[in-house]
Structures are given as C-alpha cells and as structure tokens.
Amino acid sequence: MNVSTGSGSNRLVIASFVLVFAVAAVTFGYTWQGQMAFIQRDDVTATATAYEVTSVENGTVTVRVRVDNPTSKPVTILGGSLFGKLDGEDVVREGTGAVPSERVPAGGSRTVTVECHFVDRDPSGATVERIRDGELRVVGLLSVRMVDQRFDVEVSP
Amino acid sequence: MTTFKRSLVEGWLRILLVGAATGILGGMGTFSYTRIDLSPFDAAWLPLVFVGLAGAYTHLLAADMRSGTIAMIVAFVVGAFTNIAAWTSPIFLLSYRGVARDLALMAQLQQSLISLLMVYLLIYLGGYFAAVTISGAFS
C-alpha cells in the first residue's frame, strides 16, 4: 500500500508526515539545547565570597556562596556540604539543610547565604580570632540540577 | 532527456528524498528519547513514536516495495548520522581543544552508538516492518 503519486491519500500521508516532522523538530530543538548546556556544566562555578562569625555563643558562622551559571539553561541549587578549614582541619561545617534552594538563571549568578556551625561546640578564642582575621578556607560541594539532570559543583574559596 | 531517463532520475530523487526526510525524523527522535531528561517535556514515549513513525513513513512514502527498501537503507544511514551529529556537534561548537575535545568526543560517540543500537535499530526497523506487514495484509 505505497502511496501513489498525486492521489488524495498521498497528500494526506505527506501532510501527516510534515506535521509529525515539525513536532519532532521542536522536541529535538529543545533537547539539543539542553544537551548543549549540559556539556557546559563544568563552567558552572561556586565561590565562597565572604563569611562572618555571627554568634560565638551559638557557634554560628554565615558563609556567602556565589554561583555563576554561564550556560544557556537555568540551574537549581538543591543542597550541598560546606567545610571551613584552618590548617587543613575542619573547624566549621554547614548545618543540616542549611544550603537554601535557589534558581540560578541562564547566564546569571546568585549568592546564597549558608548558616554554618563550629565543629567544636566550644571553640578556642584563638580559633575564633583566626577566623575573624580571614584565615578560614571554605570549600565543599553544591548539588545542582539542570532540567532533570543532577551534578555537583565544587565550591572554591 | 528521454521519458525513461527522466522517470529514472525522478524515481531515485524520490528515494533519496524519502530516505533523507524519514532518516532525519528517526535520528531526531532517537536523540530526543535518549536525552529526554534534558528537555522540558515529560512524555518520554513521544520521541519513540517519532522513531517508529519514521520507519512506517519510509514505506508509505516510497513509490513501491523495491524503492521503499532502498529508501529504508538511505534513511538508516541518514538517521544514524543525524543522531551522531546531534550528540557530538556541541563539542565542535563549543571551544573544546586538544585532549579535552578528544575525551568529550569519545564519551558522546559512545553514548550515540548505544542509542543507535538500543533505540534506533529496534524501533525504526520495527516501524518499517510493521508498515510493510500491515500494508501487505490489506493490499
């Protein structure tokens, strides 16, 4: 039952093919755009830009992390883990669920504030002083999602 | 040009056109299905329908069984190329250089070949042979 040239059924089959092709092309276009952005996922960066000892009594340190997303798709921060190090030793880490969910637009950047805690509940005065002097080195990982694909972004100090 | 030669050229042009168009449809569907998690659409089955329909249209749009078979071979090659190009083209469009480009290219090629075998081969040929069988039964 191949289509004979010029028949009515021929035109119907060709018209339906054009319609299917158009819908497939739109689906393909969006998917390919996602592929293009996902291949660039290594360009998404997270930087610990600032931190502050907010309360010595409660043992809290707030850290500001800026996420830059130069890709063509937005990414959503899902969570993560942060560590504040002094001489390579963890002295501060993020609280449970402390990394807020935030949508970083395509080609844009967002800064999130993460509340962290001292690992030692009763840190020494020298430790607090060194942190206040800016010696803390904040590193870690943020878990992010692009469309439905998850990946991790390293937090650099 | 004699009438015989003209009809021969037209016949081959139609085979190539049908093969190319349905092959591109199948290749786009295969890529979209494999990377559906990177598209805003939730209907993962939809691209599979495109691949199956590509096989069916190869038979339906061909002038006869013989030219349909040749168009199917053309479509298969074109579809495979479309799928591989969709996977690998971002590597060439982005500024990858040297070893990074080679590694990324190998990873994308591997994924594209897997999708060709697991999706395109089965679904496209399934659609084609289903159309041949059904149209044969009702002719």
Side-chain angles (χ1 to χ4, degrees):
Chain A
M1 199 181 71
N2 297 91
V3 172
S4 57
T5 312
S7 70
S9 61
N10 184 18
R11 282 194 290 272
L12 192 67
V13 171
I14 291 172
S16 67
F17 175 77
V18 170
L19 183 69
V20 169
F21 194 95
V23 177
V26 171
T27 312
F28 172 78
Y30 277 107
T31 312
W32 187 82
Q33 197 187 22
Q35 166 83 347
M36 188 85 171
F38 190 66
I39 283 182
Q40 289 177 285
R41 64 190 179 280
D42 288 346
D43 293 344
V44 178
T45 57
T47 315
T49 53
Y51 66 85
E52 182 188 2
V53 179
T54 41
S55 169
V56 178
E57 293 76 32
N58 296 326
T60 53
V61 177
T62 52
V63 177
R64 289 168 69 79
V65 179
R66 193 186 72 231
V67 179
D68 294 303
N69 174 24
T71 73
S72 57
K73 290 277 181 187
V75 297
T76 305
I77 302 167
L78 302 172
S81 52
L82 293 181
F83 303 92
K85 292 174 180 287
L86 278 179
D87 301 328
E89 190 183 333
D90 293 349
V91 290
V92 167
R93 72 162 301 168
E94 93 289 350
T96 307
V99 180
S101 180
E102 179 82 39
R103 189 170 183 272
V104 186
S109 63
R110 288 284 184 276
T111 299
V112 292
T113 304
V114 183
E115 188 169 273
C116 300
H117 300 277
F118 286 106
V119 173
D120 185 352
R121 284 174 184 271
D122 188 20
S124 67
T127 300
V128 175
E129 203 55 40
R130 287 183 67 190
I131 291 173
R132 282 188 168 142
D133 286 346
E135 290 185 37
L136 194 68
R137 190 171 177 273
V138 179
V139 293
L141 283 177
L142 290 185
S143 174
V144 302
R145 184 180 63 211
M146 179 185 284
V147 195
D148 276 343
Q149 285 272 1
R150 290 183 178 208
F151 59 95
D152 291 330
V153 178
E154 198 170 324
V155 179
S156 57
Chain B
M1 191 184 284
T2 63
T3 311
F4 173 73
K5 275 187 178 174
R6 190 182 297 128
S7 66
L8 193 70
V9 170
E10 283 173 359
W12 273 102
L13 272 178
R14 181 170 175 173
I15 289 171
L16 292 176
L17 193 65
V18 168
T22 56
I24 290 171
L25 175 64
M28 289 194 303
T30 303
F31 175 77
S32 301
Y33 174 72
T34 325
R35 295 308 259 169
I36 195 73
D37 49 359
L38 287 174
S39 82
F41 309 109
D42 289 331
W45 51 268
L46 187 63
L48 273 188
V49 173
F50 296 148
V51 182
L53 283 176
Y57 276 118
T58 306
H59 174 68
L60 292 173
L61 290 170
D64 51 43
M65 186 70 195
R66 180 180 165 276
S67 60
T69 310
I70 303 168
M72 185 264 282
I73 295 167
V74 173
F76 199 83
V77 174
V78 171
F81 180 79
T82 304
N83 182 51
I84 291 171
W87 279 91
T88 56
S89 54
I91 306 290
F92 295 104
L93 292 173
L94 299 170
S95 53
Y96 278 86
R97 293 285 178 272
V99 180
R101 188 186 64 184
D102 293 345
L103 287 172
L105 200 57
M106 286 306 290
Q108 300 304 310
L109 266 177
Q110 191 181 23
Q111 302 252 38
S112 67
L113 292 176
I114 291 170
S115 67
L116 274 181
L117 292 174
M118 304 295 285
V119 179
Y120 191 50
L121 187 69
L122 294 177
I123 308 297
Y124 174 80
L125 290 181
Y128 175 77
F129 285 119
V132 169
T133 307
I134 292 168
S135 69
F138 288 98
S139 63

